[in-house]
Amino acid sequence: MIIIAFSHQTSKILPRVFCRRFRHCAPILRDGKKLIMYQFTSIHNITKIELQNRDISILRAHGWRFVYLPYDIQNDFSEHAYSCVDLSKRALGIHNRFIQTPNALYKYIAPE
């Protein structure tokens, strides 16, 4: 199972200019009993953050949205990612080149 987290806030300048509703996304994978968030920090630099179920509820209270998907994990998806959207698309195995913003990814995978 993969969880894709979406946020309205980011510290990067380009997403503030080009992205409207959601400005950041991050894949969260289950590793045994732990949840690991793959946070895109810069090109070819991915930070792994260990989360608990309590952390998910705290993030939800601060405006994050979560989409739970029953996909299989792609091997080595964090290599050569150039944006948070590219990282999430690689985790899901999506090859649609027209998805370039977190909002476009949310519209593509959300069950609405």
Side-chain angles (χ1 to χ4, degrees):
M1 177 177 73
I2 297 177
I3 305 168
I4 305 294
F6 294 92
S7 175
H8 301 281
Q9 302 154 353
T10 185
S11 63
K12 309 282 187 205
I13 294 172
L14 287 177
R16 288 183 188 179
V17 174
F18 292 112
C19 302
R20 294 178 189 256
R21 183 175 175 195
F22 295 114
R23 295 185 174 156
H24 182 67
C25 60
I28 301 173
L29 305 177
R30 184 171 295 279
D31 183 25
K33 292 186 177 182
K34 299 183 292 185
L35 294 171
I36 298 176
M37 176 187 278
Y38 288 82
Q39 185 77 19
F40 179 83
T41 51
S42 65
I43 295 176
H44 307 299
N45 190 7
I46 310 300
T47 305
K48 296 179 183 178
I49 302 171
E50 189 174 325
L51 299 175
Q52 306 270 331
N53 288 334
R54 178 180 178 265
D55 298 328
I56 297 288
S57 62
I58 291 171
L59 289 173
R60 186 173 283 129
H62 283 90
W64 286 65
R65 292 241 178 131
F66 298 95
V67 177
Y68 296 85
L69 301 166
Y71 288 112
D72 291 331
I73 299 168
Q74 301 293 323
N75 293 334
D76 297 329
F77 67 90
S78 62
E79 290 183 10
H80 310 294
Y82 62 90
S83 70
C84 62
V85 176
D86 186 44
L87 178 68
S88 299
K89 283 175 25 178
R90 288 174 186 264
L92 296 173
I94 298 173
H95 300 290
N96 189 342
R97 63 181 173 184
F98 296 109
I99 299 173
Q100 296 294 323
T101 63
N103 194 36
L105 180 64
Y106 183 80
K107 287 181 180 180
Y108 186 79
I109 65 174
E112 296 176 316

